Amino acid sequence: MSRPQSLGDDDPLGGRLLEAAVVEFAARGYAGARVAEIAARAGVTTGAIYSRYRGKAELLAEAIEWATNDEFDRLFTDHRFEGRMEDVLRIVGQHLIVREERCDDGTPSGDGLLLESFAAARQEPDVRRLLGDHLLDRHGRLVRVVDAAKDTGGIDPDVDTNALVTFCYALGLGFVLLEVVDMPVPERDAWDALIERLLDAIAERPPARVDAAAAASGTG
């Protein structure tokens, strides 16, 4: 998994702070993470952090956003994506079993950080609110993908968009939980075949052809 570059290029200090936060939160969880340690990892004072963030919860939310790549933008540029919105769902499904614990620069991926955030959200209202905002933004983007696929005939318009998006998120988050207990994942071919069958099941069906002779006789 690659690391987003925009923040690091435009704001080197911000990039160092978020990288340090990702490492600290992933290692110690939200409750155990210390702002002083994040500052030390980044080579700055705690004042540099508090000048940017109102508290640890806001820093965690920013770290999640930074650590979890913008998967939709990345998928839109994927060579396998050829303009059909349902292909995005196909590739997302394939990525579920091809996961990486660390990014190219060696820092933990966003999945572990996301899991720690869910645990913290049960006790910390600020974390719950900020995490909810993050997920709602991603939810809205996936809604637009599904609706666009309906417009092009890739997904049956009768399929409820919210139900399908919720299913996708439940599936993705479920994989994150399975990793905690080292549950085995399916073989790639078997998983791809299942994804294809699911996409076929929700695809829009062409209108049934009416036999010309039957139509002429009024029996079609």
Side-chain angles (χ1 to χ4, degrees):
M1 174 188 286
S2 61
R3 171 70 65 211
Q5 294 300 315
S6 57
L7 178 60
D9 291 343
D10 300 336
D11 182 5
L13 174 58
R16 292 207 315 274
L17 286 175
L18 293 178
E19 182 175 337
V22 168
V23 173
E24 178 72 2
F25 283 127
R28 301 178 185 272
Y30 180 79
R34 297 172 58 241
V35 173
E37 181 62 26
I38 295 172
R41 288 180 185 272
V44 299
T45 65
T46 55
I49 294 178
Y50 287 116
S51 68
R52 291 168 175 257
Y53 304 102
R54 287 176 292 181
K56 196 162 66 169
E58 191 172 283
L59 177 57
L60 173 64
E62 185 79 7
I64 293 172
E65 186 67 31
W66 185 74
T68 54
N69 278 335
D70 195 336
E71 70 273 21
F72 292 120
D73 288 345
R74 182 159 44 88
L75 289 172
F76 288 148
T77 62
D78 193 294
H79 69 279
R80 292 168 293 177
F81 176 60
E82 299 177 350
R84 298 195 312 156
M85 288 297 178
E86 62 271 25
D87 284 345
V88 174
L89 300 179
R90 177 178 292 107
I91 297 170
V92 169
Q94 292 170 347
H95 284 185
L96 286 174
I97 61 170
V98 184
R99 311 177 75 90
E100 299 176 62
E101 295 182 358
R102 293 189 173 270
C103 300
D104 296 340
D105 59 9
T107 56
S109 72
D111 290 338
L113 192 61
L114 192 60
L115 191 59
E116 292 291 349
S117 302
F118 274 105
R122 296 188 63 189
Q123 304 295 329
E124 302 287 343
D126 286 344
V127 175
R128 183 163 57 249
R129 175 178 57 81
L130 291 168
L131 181 59
D133 289 344
H134 171 79
L135 293 177
L136 280 174
D137 176 67
R138 298 303 174 98
H139 182 278
R141 301 189 74 179
L142 192 51
V143 163
R144 291 193 288 274
V145 169
V146 171
D147 285 342
K150 288 183 176 182
D151 290 341
T152 58
I155 294 177
D156 190 333
D158 290 337
V159 173
D160 183 80
T161 296
N162 187 57
L164 179 56
V165 171
T166 301
F167 172 80
C168 291
Y169 267 98
L171 192 63
L173 293 174
F175 265 84
V176 174
L177 294 174
L178 291 177
E179 289 179 1
V180 176
V181 292
D182 295 323
M183 286 287 289
V185 298
E187 293 294 330
R188 176 65 182 268
D189 289 346
W191 182 252
D192 286 352
L194 176 61
I195 293 295
E196 291 298 331
R197 292 191 66 173
L198 290 173
L199 286 172
D200 182 65
I202 61 174
E204 184 175 19
R205 302 299 179 192
R209 292 192 306 174
V210 178
D211 182 79
S217 64
T219 59

